[in-house]
Amino acid sequence: DAKSMIPDLLHLGAHIRTFLDDLSMKVAVVISGDLSHTHRADGPYGYSKTSAIMDQALEMWARNPCANSDALLTTAASHQVSALSCGFTGFVLLHGVLCTGSSSDDSSWDSRVLVNTNATYYGMMVAEFASSSSFDAASKLE
């Protein structure tokens, strides 16, 4: 059960954050994970009305992860089993990296959800999380 893994994943994420904070270079962390796998009745896992709820909760979390932690750790967690999101554990680990650890600062992250859709039976989301200074530098390049 992925829900029972939440404390360990947050703890591991905090340790990763502490390790990354001690580095003197910029680092990219890539987490890949599908959202719900139950968007279509003709898909291999059938349909569940919880798929849309789960994917919306994950998007809400991704838009402001530290402020919207409940969307991930409560709402999405409660629908994970019926929505069959294999990416849930990766998102919890990332939450631990972003929002816990030695120098966690909720205001130091900007996040963007670029897409959240389900073109097939499973949901897909692309989001980016960066320190505020990284987004400022990227916008100057455009």
Side-chain angles (χ1 to χ4, degrees):
D1 174 13
K3 194 172 181 181
S4 68
M5 296 172 63
I6 289 173
D8 290 335
L9 290 165
L10 292 173
H11 186 72
L12 178 58
H15 281 292
I16 292 170
R17 173 70 181 268
T18 300
F19 172 79
L20 295 175
D21 284 345
D22 290 340
L23 297 177
S24 61
M25 62 185 86
K26 288 188 178 187
V27 176
V29 176
V30 178
I31 303 289
S32 174
D34 297 337
L35 305 183
S36 301
H37 281 59
T38 55
H39 282 280
R40 292 177 53 160
D42 62 346
Y45 305 106
Y47 173 77
S48 172
K49 64 182 178 182
T50 62
S51 59
I53 298 166
M54 173 95 183
D55 291 3
Q56 289 168 359
L58 290 171
E59 179 177 349
M60 176 183 280
W61 166 78
R63 291 194 179 279
N64 193 342
C66 300
N68 295 335
S69 62
D70 236 24
L72 173 68
L73 302 175
T74 303
T75 305
S78 68
H79 296 293
Q80 189 275 329
V81 172
S82 58
L84 300 176
S85 171
C86 64
F88 175 75
T89 54
F91 298 126
V92 175
L93 176 69
L94 181 59
H95 185 79
V97 172
L98 296 174
C99 302
T100 62
S102 63
S103 66
S104 180
D105 177 5
D106 295 358
S107 64
S108 67
W109 298 106
D110 285 324
S111 58
R112 298 185 227 197
V113 174
L114 304 172
V115 65
N116 182 5
T117 190
N118 61 297
T120 66
Y121 65 91
Y122 65 94
M124 300 163 271
M125 178 172 61
V126 176
E128 64 180 335
F129 308 88
S131 66
S132 298
S133 60
S134 295
F135 275 155
D136 292 342
S139 66
K140 292 176 185 172
L141 295 174
E142 294 173 353

